[in-house]
Amino acid sequence: MNRDLPREPLGERRRDLLLDLSAALAGALLVTAAALVGTAIERRAHTLYVRWPPVFAQWEPHVGLGTPAALVVAVAVVAYGPPLAARLPWRVLLWAAWGTATAWTFSLALVDGWQRGIAGRLTTTNEYLRVIDRFHDIPVALRDFTHHIVSHSPAPWPAHIAGHPPAATLTFVLLDRIGLGGGGWAGVWCITVGATAPVAVLVAVRVLAREGREDGERREGGEVLARRAAPFLVLAPAAVWVGTSADGYFAAVAAWAVAFLALAVTGHRPRATGLASGLLLGLTAYLSYGLTLFVVIAGAVLLLGSHRLRPLPYLLAGLAVVPVVFTLAGFNWWEAYRLLVTRYYEGIGGTRPYGYWVWANLACTVLIVGPATVAGLRRAGTAVGTAVAVAPLRKGLRGFSRTAAPETHLALLVLAALLALLVADLSGMSKAETERIWLPFAMWLLSACAFLPRPRGWLAAQATLALLLNHLLLTGW
């Protein structure tokens, strides 16, 4: 099987490379502006509540136990990642992607040391493990959950517990119940599960980008794009925040929900995969309120699939399970979200200036997805624009999705994730710490790197950014 996408004429390749570099430079300038303006605001008004704008971190150059391992993984993926991704059998590639992403994330986390980088992350004042003892009677805790969300309520929940539906906290409660208690096990759980998110994205890209025409080009194209994206998903700067935060775990759950939906709507065991997708989508909404925006990405998947109707009953049945269980247990999702909004604006969320964070959040996104993704997003936009220009939507979205090229399918999926992220940004409920909070969306943006030629150079840039971030800053939340 030919693993290379069609080559452009030399002049076009040079022009596209210049545009790619310009897009990456624009991203770097956005980060620089956010850092300079944010520092000035924080020194003058102290309203950002971050020490190293725009990210929630402090300047602390350091090396650690994970430094040699991180360098080895980075060099290995840059040197051997693209050819191996092109040649390995598909299932072997998926296992290799998970293993390498796990090694990359663990090594980055261990730059800060075992306690500070992994075991202690989820035991700090605002984290989930601080309230394990308050869930000794889970049904009572769920019925009483909304009574402790607002800051002035009796025994208010710490910030992260109040800021998420109870499935997030229950994950760590259940780990504790089965003997995997403490910050070490919680950190290992988040990293190990979070590292599966790239695998889920690869599965979805492969099946969605080959939907439509039955010719060899389409079927080969979907897998080629997934294989080209694999090294970038593995070596993402986002791994700095996947290890160790619960949002890395949330990202994996959301990614697998989309992956199972992609399998369902492309005819791969639609009953089982549709049901699995529904269950995970329901769980996603009860892990983080903001991840309800994954409905945008799910909508794009339905658009790109050719078997939408058959899995729909199973999807809806699965989707109902988690909300019904929590509702019967006494937890009211809508009431909890209303109270969270009240708490958010009563606290530092109401003080942090929207006028700064509405664009500085995007600078945080540049840092977690890296310059290669910024360039890939430019190409994704170009791919969709070209497809619409060549084949207008006069035959309807279904006809367009069936005849569009694999690159267009991938571009639509990526742009759907970008749209969901922009809605989260404009909502005003995500001001600061989005380098962690938006990890679930970032995983899908990374797949845009499949459009880039000469992947080794871009991979080197991604790895360098991640290593600099992890060794110069001490991230926290």
Side-chain angles (χ1 to χ4, degrees):
M1 179 183 291
N2 178 21
R3 301 297 187 192
D4 295 323
L5 295 175
R7 296 177 65 85
E8 298 173 333
L10 180 59
E12 291 185 15
R13 292 204 302 272
R14 288 176 175 171
R15 183 201 63 190
D16 284 340
L17 177 59
L18 181 59
L19 291 173
D20 292 340
L21 293 174
S22 298
L25 177 60
L29 291 174
L30 178 63
V31 172
T32 302
L36 294 175
V37 174
T39 299
I41 293 174
E42 186 62 12
R43 285 177 177 173
R44 184 184 71 252
H46 306 288
T47 56
L48 298 187
Y49 297 96
V50 293
R51 295 185 182 181
W52 203 86
V55 298
F56 192 80
Q58 63 189 49
W59 179 262
E60 187 175 318
H62 61 289
V63 296
L65 177 65
T67 298
L71 290 170
V72 169
V73 173
V75 171
V77 174
V78 171
Y80 303 108
L84 282 176
R87 295 167 187 163
L88 286 175
W90 177 250
R91 291 187 181 182
V92 175
L93 173 62
L94 296 183
W95 284 104
W98 181 32
T100 308
T102 302
W104 176 237
T105 309
F106 265 114
S107 61
L108 288 174
L110 288 172
V111 170
D112 298 335
W114 168 256
Q115 182 62 34
R116 192 167 67 166
I118 296 178
R121 289 285 187 170
L122 296 172
T123 63
T124 56
T125 303
N126 289 315
E127 284 289 359
Y128 303 97
L129 270 62
R130 302 287 290 193
V131 300
I132 296 294
D133 292 343
R134 292 175 63 176
F135 279 77
H136 62 277
D137 188 327
I138 292 176
V140 171
L142 290 178
R143 288 195 298 272
D144 200 42
F145 192 88
T146 56
H147 298 154
H148 305 286
I149 293 178
V150 179
S151 297
H152 55 264
S153 60
W157 296 119
H160 285 189
I161 292 82
H164 294 82
T169 306
L170 276 179
T171 299
F172 302 103
V173 171
L174 295 175
L175 283 175
D176 183 76
R177 293 283 177 89
I178 64 174
L180 302 179
W185 283 114
V188 169
W189 167 268
C190 289
I191 292 175
T192 305
V193 176
T196 69
V199 181
V201 175
L202 291 177
V203 169
V205 169
R206 180 176 184 252
V207 296
L208 288 174
R210 71 180 187 181
E211 269 295 284
R213 296 193 308 267
E214 297 296 324
D215 58 29
E217 177 187 354
R218 170 59 61 82
R219 294 223 169 265
E220 181 179 327
E223 187 166 319
V224 168
L225 289 169
R227 289 175 178 275
R228 289 177 63 87
F232 291 96
L233 286 159
V234 163
L235 205 63
V240 172
W241 289 274
V242 173
T244 305
S245 76
D247 293 85
Y249 154 55
F250 303 161
V253 174
W256 281 109
V258 174
F260 280 121
L261 180 59
L263 290 169
V265 299
T266 54
H268 296 76
R269 298 182 180 179
R271 295 180 182 179
T273 53
L275 182 63
S277 176
L279 286 168
L280 291 177
L281 283 171
L283 176 59
T284 297
Y286 279 74
L287 289 172
S288 175
Y289 297 104
L291 294 187
T292 53
L293 288 172
F294 258 72
V295 69
V296 177
I297 303 175
V301 172
L302 289 171
L303 166 66
L304 296 173
S306 59
H307 299 78
R308 302 182 185 94
L309 296 180
R310 188 178 174 189
L312 196 57
Y314 307 100
L315 172 69
L316 295 176
L319 187 59
V321 171
V322 173
V324 167
V325 168
F326 275 93
T327 301
L328 291 177
F331 172 73
N332 187 322
W333 192 97
W334 294 102
E335 174 68 6
Y337 181 70
R338 183 186 68 80
L339 293 170
L340 168 63
V341 173
T342 299
R343 174 162 176 165
Y344 183 79
Y345 283 102
E346 285 179 346
I348 62 175
T351 304
R352 283 171 165 161
Y354 180 85
Y356 171 76
W357 287 111
V358 74
W359 60 273
N361 284 337
L362 302 180
C364 293
T365 305
V366 171
L367 290 174
I368 61 176
V369 300
T373 304
V374 176
L377 287 172
R378 183 203 71 79
R379 289 187 176 242
T382 301
V384 171
T386 301
V388 171
V390 172
L393 304 182
R394 59 177 178 271
K395 294 183 179 180
L397 290 175
R398 180 176 176 84
F400 177 77
S401 68
R402 286 182 62 85
T403 58
E407 293 83 1
T408 307
H409 277 216
L410 175 58
L412 287 170
L413 182 63
V414 169
L415 293 180
L418 180 61
L419 175 61
L421 184 148
L422 291 175
V423 172
D425 188 32
L426 294 173
S427 73
M429 288 295 290
S430 296
K431 296 198 289 273
E433 302 178 58
T434 52
E435 66 273 14
R436 168 183 57 82
I437 298 169
W438 288 353
L439 285 174
F441 304 114
M443 295 299 170
W444 297 93
L445 300 182
L446 288 162
S447 59
C449 296
F451 295 119
L452 298 174
R454 303 180 183 275
R456 284 194 177 97
W458 290 109
L459 280 168
Q462 298 285 91
T464 300
L465 174 61
L467 291 168
L468 287 174
L469 286 169
N470 216 104
H471 286 83
L472 295 178
L473 302 177
L474 180 64
T475 58
W477 31 86

